[in-house]
Amino acid sequence: MPYNYREAMKLSNQLCFPLYAASRSVVSLYTPWLKPLGLTYTQYIVFLVLWEKDGITVGELCDRLMLDSGTLSPLLKKMEQAGYVERKRSEEDDRVVLISLTDEGRALQERAKDIPREVSCCIDLPPEKGHMLYSLLYELLNAQKKE
C-alpha cells in the first residue's frame, strides 16, 4: 500500500498528540498542591530527585530528569535564590557543579509528602493499567535514548 501523506498528517494518527495531551492533563493535576508551596512542576521533579539523592551534579540531575542544562540552570538559580538549594563547584573539577539541598529544601519534603497520594487519587485508571502505561512510556523513552 503506498504511503498516504494525507492520512499520515491527520491529528488522530499522531502518537505525539495523545502523549502531549495526557502529559499536560496529568501535570495539571499537581497544580493545586504545588501552588501553595510556591513550586512549579519542574521544580517539584527536581526536588524528587534531590530528596532521593542529595548532593548530585547538574549533569546527573539533567540525566535523571531528561532535561538539558540550559533548561535546568535557570531553574536551579531560582531555587537557590529561594533558599532551597546550594550550587557549588566541585573541588576536583571546577567545571562540575554540585547541587545540594538546604535545610529549607529538606524541610519542604514534609510539606509535599502527600502530593503523590493526592494526585494518584485523581487519576481514574486501574492500577494494572497505570503500571502498564508506565512501562510502555519508559520503553518508548529508552528506545529514543538509543537512537
Side-chain angles (χ1 to χ4, degrees), residues 22-37:
S23 175
R24 284 181 35 115
S25 176
V26 171
V27 168
S28 74
L29 295 174
Y30 286 82
T31 302
W33 289 278
L34 295 176
K35 195 170 188 172
L37 299 176

Side-chain angles (χ1 to χ4, degrees), residues 17-85:
F17 182 71
L19 287 169
Y20 165 76
S23 175
R24 284 181 35 115
S25 176
V26 171
V27 168
S28 74
L29 295 174
Y30 286 82
T31 302
W33 289 278
L34 295 176
K35 195 170 188 172
L37 299 176
L39 297 177
T40 65
Y41 178 76
T42 311
Q43 289 171 323
Y44 175 67
I45 62 174
V46 167
F47 275 117
L48 291 177
V49 172
L50 293 173
W51 290 330
E52 189 178 320
K53 183 181 177 197
D54 195 3
I56 64 173
T57 67
V58 171
E60 288 176 274
L61 197 52
C62 288
D63 289 346
R64 289 284 313 273
L65 297 176
M66 299 179 198
L67 294 171
D68 60 63
S69 62
T71 300
L72 212 47
S73 292
L75 185 77
L76 292 169
K77 186 176 182 178
K78 284 182 185 178
M79 292 172 74
E80 184 176 42
Q81 290 168 346
Y84 292 128
V85 299

Side-chain angles (χ1 to χ4, degrees), residues 133-146:
L133 178 58
Y134 179 90
S135 294
L136 287 170
L137 290 171
Y138 269 99
E139 188 176 323
L140 177 65
L141 288 168
N142 289 332
Q144 297 306 307
K145 280 184 188 177
K146 293 176 187 173

Side-chain angles (χ1 to χ4, degrees), residues 90-141:
S90 167
E91 292 178 12
E92 293 84 35
D93 184 347
D94 67 356
R95 296 170 296 175
V96 174
V97 177
L98 296 166
I99 307 299
S100 300
L101 290 165
T102 62
D103 289 342
E104 191 172 344
R106 279 187 284 282
L108 189 61
Q109 185 175 19
E110 179 64 26
R111 294 177 50 211
K113 71 179 190 244
D114 294 328
I115 293 173
R117 180 174 39 89
E118 295 291 347
V119 170
S120 70
C121 290
C122 297
I123 297 175
D124 189 20
L125 198 62
E128 63 278 357
K129 285 194 175 184
H131 294 301
M132 183 186 307
L133 178 58
Y134 179 90
S135 294
L136 287 170
L137 290 171
Y138 269 99
E139 188 176 323
L140 177 65
L141 288 168

